[in-house]
Amino acid sequence: MRTVVAIAAVLALFFTASCGDKVHQYDGPEVTRIVVNKGDRKMYLLHGTEVLKSYDVDLGFAPEGHKQFEGDGKTPEGRYVIDRRNPNSAFYLSIGISYPNREDVEYAKAQGKKPGGEIFIHGGPRPKDPDGPDWTAGCISVTDREMIEIYTMVRLGTVIDVNP
């Protein structure tokens, strides 16, 4: 019986490792808010006012100012929420930001343009992506290793404040 249990444990370990399981368990304090300071290229995961983790980030290729239109290369500014999770992201793992909100859509529409969308916090660049800082199309990028932590710690509905 012990042999069967030992073999089952080894097989379970093998299958877990071979599946490329990216996400781990997190049992620390709840992340109640994310703050991104674009000017400093920093992101903070907070529990109340306590900083749990901080990360250096890359932004959209035109980092100054608030995202207004599809293709402008800007990272949105303002208050949003984490509204989706993508374990199969082209950028390793990703969590979605609720841009555009109603005001973003109305402003772009008034200008005769689309607001864009698909804004995420995601892992690092792929080989085909541009080198250097601020390479995304408007997303917030961290390393793949950091993205594992973020993906594990942050829940749907978490508020994200993106500051200039």
Side-chain angles (χ1 to χ4, degrees):
M1 182 67 173
R2 285 185 181 173
T3 303
V4 172
V5 171
I7 290 171
V10 169
L11 286 174
L13 185 61
F14 171 77
F15 284 116
T16 300
S18 67
C19 290
D21 185 16
K22 302 174 197 173
V23 181
H24 305 285
Q25 295 292 323
Y26 174 71
D27 61 358
E30 177 186 4
V31 175
T32 57
R33 194 170 121 212
I34 302 169
V35 174
V36 176
N37 293 330
K38 289 172 52 175
D40 295 335
R41 305 300 189 272
K42 294 294 263 186
M43 180 171 67
Y44 303 93
L45 305 186
L46 295 115
H47 174 76
T49 58
E50 175 190 359
V51 175
L52 301 173
K53 291 281 190 170
S54 67
Y55 305 94
D56 293 328
V57 298
D58 289 325
L59 303 170
F61 62 83
E64 300 296 319
H66 174 58
K67 181 167 194 62
Q68 296 177 319
F69 310 117
E70 184 175 69
D72 66 7
K74 296 180 183 301
T75 301
E77 295 173 357
R79 177 165 279 189
Y80 298 93
V81 297
I82 300 302
D83 65 353
R84 58 203 181 280
R85 300 167 64 78
N86 185 358
N88 300 310
S89 172
F91 298 97
Y92 193 65
L93 292 169
S94 62
I95 55 176
I97 298 172
S98 63
Y99 176 88
N101 61 28
R102 187 177 66 239
E103 294 82 21
D104 297 321
V105 171
E106 289 173 0
Y107 180 80
K109 187 176 179 180
Q111 305 302 310
K113 298 185 178 189
K114 296 179 183 177
E118 298 298 313
I119 303 298
F120 287 85
I121 300 170
H122 60 64
R126 304 162 296 184
K128 68 180 183 179
D129 292 317
D131 287 333
D134 300 333
W135 59 271
T136 79
C139 294
I140 299 164
S141 175
V142 295
T143 69
D144 291 350
R145 180 171 294 219
E146 293 168 334
M147 195 60 222
I148 292 170
E149 286 182 343
I150 295 162
Y151 192 91
T152 303
M153 293 173 73
V154 174
R155 301 288 169 244
L156 294 177
T158 302
V159 171
I160 177 168
D161 289 312
V162 184
N163 304 314

